[in-house]
Amino acid sequence: MTPSPFLYGNRATTLNIVALPGSLRIKSYNHAALKAATSLAPDGLTIKIVDYLDIPLYNGGL
């Protein structure tokens, strides 16, 4: 399926969004909401969910 373009000014473009879930939990509501948004996105809009589970995060409080 070819995404239909959005108009940006007077030219057509497709929109690409990178989404980061706000929680690292496996069954996070944030991640579920992003999955729903991905499946409900209109043509011409692409949402890529980036999981950062394997990236070691800095925690200065430890």
Side-chain angles (χ1 to χ4, degrees), residues 22-48:
S23 175
L24 294 176
R25 290 183 302 131
I26 299 298
K27 294 187 177 184
S28 158
Y29 288 118
N30 294 325
H31 198 271
L34 289 176
K35 281 185 178 179
T38 300
S39 64
L40 296 171
D43 290 341
L45 177 67
T46 302
I47 301 173
K48 170 71 175 165

Side-chain angles (χ1 to χ4, degrees), residues 4-29:
S4 62
F6 286 96
L7 290 179
Y8 182 70
N10 60 355
R11 57 185 184 163
T13 187
T14 55
L15 299 176
N16 297 307
I17 296 175
V18 175
L20 298 170
S23 175
L24 294 176
R25 290 183 302 131
I26 299 298
K27 294 187 177 184
S28 158
Y29 288 118

Side-chain angles (χ1 to χ4, degrees), residues 33-62:
L34 289 176
K35 281 185 178 179
T38 300
S39 64
L40 296 171
D43 290 341
L45 177 67
T46 302
I47 301 173
K48 170 71 175 165
I49 300 174
V50 177
D51 287 320
Y52 46 94
L53 293 172
D54 296 330
I55 299 173
L57 300 177
Y58 173 75
N59 185 348
L62 294 177

